[in-house]
Every structure is written in C-alpha cells, then in structure tokens.
Amino acid sequence: LVLVCAVALIGAAAVLGVWWVASSERREVSYRVIGTLSAIELELDDASVELVGGEAGPVQVTRTEEFAVGRPPRDRHTVRDGVLRISSRCADTVVGTCKAAYRLLVRDNVQVDVRTSTGRVRIAGLNGSARVETSSGPIAVDGFCGFQLTATSGTGGVRGAAECSPDRIELRSASGDVHALVPANNRY
C-alpha cells in the first residue's frame, strides 16, 4: 500500500511538472500614454520596475509577463486628472510561475511614486521628483536630477546617485546597505 501511494504521488508530481512546463508563457505588452501627465503612480505587488527619464514624447510602458497554468498577472492602468496609475498583482499559485516586470520611459518634471513588495526598482536619468518604497526589493537610482528623492526599503539595499543638487534626498533601509552619491562642491 505504501509503495502504491508513493508511485501515485510521484506520478501526480510528474503530471503537474509537465503541465507547468507545457503551459509556461512569456509575453510582452507595450503602450504609449498620450497627453500631459503630472504624476505616475505604480502599485506593483512583487513586480520589478525600471524607469528611464528624459523621454521627449509620450510616456511609454512595456510590461513583460511570465506565467504558467493560464494565470497571468492582473494588470490595470488608468489615466485620470493627469495621473497615470498602474497596478499589477499575481494570483496565489500552488503550481506555476507568475511575475511581471515594467519598463517606463518618462518625460521630465513628472512626479513618480512606486510601491512594490519584493520587486527590484531601478531609476535612471529622472528629472523630476520620486518616492520609492519596497518591502524587500533593492532600489537603485542613477543620474537623478530632480527636486526630491525618497527611497525606502525594508530589507533591500538602497543606492542613490544625483547628477545635480536635489532639494532633498532621503535614502533608508531597515537592514540593507545604503549608499548616496551627490555632486561635489555643493552645500547640503
């Protein structure tokens, strides 16, 4: 009886493994946001995000999804009163994979607000204000030239590098490393 149960369990695990591999998908979705935006708010659960500043045209969003068993991340994006709001969440899965990653090309002078639980956040060349919060994901900001930068991670490392002298830069991590690089010869 024990042998029969063990064989049945191994067989069920093999079927689930084959199902997971056979149903694995990766897709990329891109869109542009036309019009003037004053802010971008991202609520991304465990998704990673890369923001690249200095875009001359409309904001461009690229979402890459990896999932299995037909359960892609739930994505919602809206624009109201000049604010682009994007949210992403994966359903709980016993078998399979679900993850998302976002890449946004952003104009200058747009307020950016990013919240993610375990996702990695990378910002490059942003000329605006930014507030970033992660529970455990790392945060890296390079080439920042804006008014205010606030980056907080519970357990991930935080690195911030400014190209010009911001009015305020605040970098925090409860247990990760924190590194700040600001231009020389400025009064702070």
Side-chain angles (χ1 to χ4, degrees):
L1 182 63
V2 172
L3 181 61
V4 171
C5 289
V7 168
L9 187 59
I10 291 170
V15 168
L16 287 175
V18 168
W19 182 32
W20 174 67
V21 169
S23 69
S24 293
E25 293 184 51
R26 177 185 165 96
R27 68 180 170 199
E28 190 171 283
V29 178
S30 295
Y31 56 92
R32 295 174 6 157
V33 180
I34 307 296
T36 303
L37 294 177
S38 60
I40 298 173
E41 297 177 357
L42 306 172
E43 183 72 47
L44 300 178
D45 197 23
D46 62 351
S48 294
V49 63
E50 178 183 13
L51 285 156
V52 179
E55 180 65 22
V59 169
Q60 296 182 39
V61 180
T62 302
R63 180 180 74 251
T64 304
E65 302 173 338
E66 294 180 23
F67 61 95
V69 196
R71 301 200 60 182
R74 291 184 306 259
D75 171 80
R76 183 170 182 225
H77 53 274
T78 61
V79 177
R80 175 177 274 150
D81 299 326
V83 179
L84 170 63
R85 290 180 178 85
I86 300 174
S87 64
S88 176
R89 193 162 314 285
C90 282
D92 292 332
T93 58
V94 175
V95 175
T97 300
C98 178
K99 62 182 181 177
Y102 287 81
R103 185 170 196 269
L104 284 83
L105 304 180
V106 181
R107 288 180 161 200
D108 291 344
N109 299 318
V110 174
Q111 166 72 37
V112 175
D113 189 358
V114 179
R115 285 183 300 281
T116 181
S117 58
T118 58
R120 172 184 308 267
V121 178
R122 183 171 176 341
I123 298 175
L126 184 66
N127 296 319
S129 294
R131 182 174 46 232
V132 181
E133 295 177 33
T134 71
S135 296
S136 61
I139 301 169
V141 180
D142 292 304
F144 180 78
C145 189
F147 302 107
Q148 182 173 346
L149 171 62
T150 303
T152 306
S153 181
T155 58
V158 178
R159 181 173 48 89
E163 278 191 6
C164 62
S165 180
D167 291 343
R168 180 180 175 105
I169 186 167
E170 183 179 328
L171 310 175
R172 294 179 184 210
S173 179
S175 63
D177 293 334
V178 176
H179 299 277
L181 180 61
V182 293
N185 301 324
N186 287 316
R187 189 172 173 185
Y188 295 102

